[in-house]
Amino acid sequence: MEIQVGDIGHIIQLSVAPVFLLTGVGTNLMVLTNRLGRITDRSRVLEDKLRTVDPVHHADLNAELVTLYPRAHLINRAIVLSTACALMVSLVIISLFLGDALSIELSKFIAVFFIMAMLCLVSSFVMLLREILAATGSLYERRIEPIARP
């Protein structure tokens, strides 16, 4: 098991694409955590208002909270799926190195890890899209009609 410099260079060339994918998944995770943070901050503000505002306004505040909780759940799912994708891509990179360095046939495992990573990434994007649609849908539901001017 003697690894030559040329072998390491070849392994690194093989792992460049998965590393770029990992960078994209990391960026996706940053977007998702920012959205979750905004949803969490808004729900905390509304919950504080519920404690201090006149009960007449509770229905409006509760209606907004009812839309925020499912959105947070969707983003949490998207984060879990993106993290699973990052783990699968990491397993692809590790398998590439181990397979080439130890001369082990791991191509089937690499293919399975990559397909699972792509399924997780696509599912994460679907959850993000569902959350975005829920957010914009709730905006249209609570839309305030402008006062007609004479």
Side-chain angles (χ1 to χ4, degrees):
M1 186 186 106
E2 193 171 314
I3 301 175
Q4 302 295 322
V5 174
D7 294 338
I8 294 175
H10 178 68
I11 297 169
I12 291 172
Q13 285 176 342
L14 288 174
S15 65
V16 167
V19 168
F20 280 122
L21 177 60
L22 201 54
T23 303
V25 172
T27 303
N28 184 40
L29 278 168
M30 188 171 53
V31 168
L32 294 171
T33 54
N34 284 340
R35 289 186 74 83
L36 182 61
R38 303 250 340 203
I39 292 168
T40 303
D41 291 344
R42 181 65 184 153
S43 64
R44 286 182 182 150
V45 166
L46 291 172
E47 288 166 353
D48 287 343
K49 281 186 179 180
L50 275 172
R51 292 184 194 96
T52 59
V53 171
D54 185 19
V56 173
H57 302 291
H58 282 202
D60 292 334
L61 297 173
N62 279 324
E64 189 172 350
L65 276 172
V66 164
T67 63
L68 288 176
Y69 293 146
R71 286 179 54 202
H73 184 68
L74 288 169
I75 290 295
N76 276 329
R77 280 184 174 171
I79 289 171
V80 167
L81 289 164
S82 286
T83 304
C85 175
L87 291 172
M88 292 297 159
V89 171
S90 299
L91 288 173
V92 166
I93 296 167
I94 290 168
S95 298
L96 284 169
F97 270 90
L98 285 178
D100 208 34
L102 302 175
S103 298
I104 302 172
E105 179 58 38
L106 295 176
S107 59
K108 288 184 177 145
F109 290 110
I110 292 169
V112 168
F113 291 148
F114 188 75
I115 290 168
M116 289 173 56
M118 290 299 97
L119 290 173
C120 287
L121 186 60
V122 168
S123 299
S124 172
F125 286 146
V126 168
M127 291 297 129
L128 175 61
L129 181 61
R130 286 181 59 195
E131 189 274 331
I132 290 169
L133 292 174
T136 55
S138 68
L139 283 176
Y140 293 123
E141 288 172 8
R142 287 192 305 274
R143 178 175 59 194
I144 298 173
E145 296 296 326
I147 299 172
R149 296 180 187 221

